[in-house]
Amino acid sequence: MLLSDRAIHILGVGNLGKYVAHALATHYPRLPVTLIFRKKDSYDKFVDGGRKITKWIDEHTQDSKSGFRAEWIGQSRPGSPHISNLIVATKGQQTLTPVGFLSPRLDRNSTVLLLQNGMGVKEELDSQILAFRSPEHRPSYWAGVCSTGVFGRGDPSRPVCPFTFQVAGSGPLNIGPFSESQEIEKQHPLRRALEKCHPTLRTEFPDYEKIKLARLRKLVMNAVINPLTAVHRCPNGWLRSLERFKALPDHPVTGITAEYRPSSLVAEIGPIVRAVLDLPSGNPKLDEAWSDLALLREALLLADRTGENRSSMLQDVEGGRETEIDYICGWLIKKARELGLNCPRGTQNLYHHIKFRKWENGEELRRLGPSPRGAASVEDMKAMDKPIGDRDMVMVETPEWLKPKAVNKGDKPWGKAPKRANKYMAKAQGPGKGKR
């Protein structure tokens, strides 16, 4: 086998790309691994920093790997070396253009592993890239679902350190085919390389049906957590409190109201996902695993486990960047129409708020102040209404870090909010309150 057939290229050097690259360098140090950067300045920083990726094991221990090859996407030309194995670790909205640049280096003998959230990227690549429109010329695709939490971090001497990461929680990396007729050969060089990384990545290669279930399961989690945290500007753990209360003030910028909560979104998303799966009738275990209650419970537990994290969609909205909403909520809306199901109105409204938001550069969001609790604090919600009483779901005690701090007289929980927010503060505090 030629060395070029074993070589691996990784497009996207975000947290997930760094995680996989570091694992390959740890367990397969002689394997040529090339990191492909979308931006020239990131490429320059990586090269100037010694081509090094650092993993934080704990507060005082690091594990650094170096020797990676590096490319900038602008360097790719039709005459550049062929790419046999490409791992795409970019976000969905950042995939089409760079893969288009790389398409002259990809052919039917290439394998592309799409390791990202959402659905619909493969279909977009095949329809939008001229070279991939013919099945005879397009590469083979694999689908990847990573359930390990990976986040970036710096160190005391360099607060902003883009090539470091830390792992929060451990889960398997599931890789499978995109179609039922496709099979991942055991001797495939990309599979063998990733299997060598099993101690770190916990790599598994399920069949088509199992990878389909895993992708849809993660899609539901993303469709519940990401849009809600983005519009309410809150950490993931706040969603438990959002579910507990009947009424919430309108969001000061978007006008999002209390109907947009985890349970209402699951009630819309559940039927779509079950129709896509076309589950066999008479299987009580599958029916229970994909029920609205099971999906809601899993989404809330995931939000609790990642309580202090701010979702990637929230970070993109605050930074004025394009989000993955087309490949999460947008894909669900499209599938509902194709299947003749009722329009998921709440999901559609959230999609439009995030997709066509008026604060393209994050100006409106920054004007609201840095409060991580969104439009209103838990204390405000308690004043608005009583907790939900008879609810068919498992209620979990609010963790200490999520409980609101005591509000002193004169405090402004919203920070510098627009006048529209003051109206709801006055309503929450009672007659004669909330005036400024």
Side-chain angles (χ1 to χ4, degrees), residues 145-160:
V145 179
C146 182
S147 52
T148 296
V150 188
F151 61 95
R153 62 163 292 174
D155 56 56
S157 61
R158 294 183 62 191
V160 179

Side-chain angles (χ1 to χ4, degrees), residues 2 78 111 126-127 180 219 260 276 278 287 308 345 351 362 416-417:
L2 297 175
T111 299
D126 287 345
S127 63
E180 198 168 3
L219 179 72
Y260 306 110
V276 172
D278 192 19
D287 292 340
E308 297 184 29
R345 190 162 301 278
Y351 171 83
K416 295 181 179 179

Side-chain angles (χ1 to χ4, degrees), residues 15 38 164 171 281 331 367 401:
N15 292 328
R38 295 186 304 112
T164 65
S281 58
W331 187 88
R367 188 161 62 86
W401 68 266

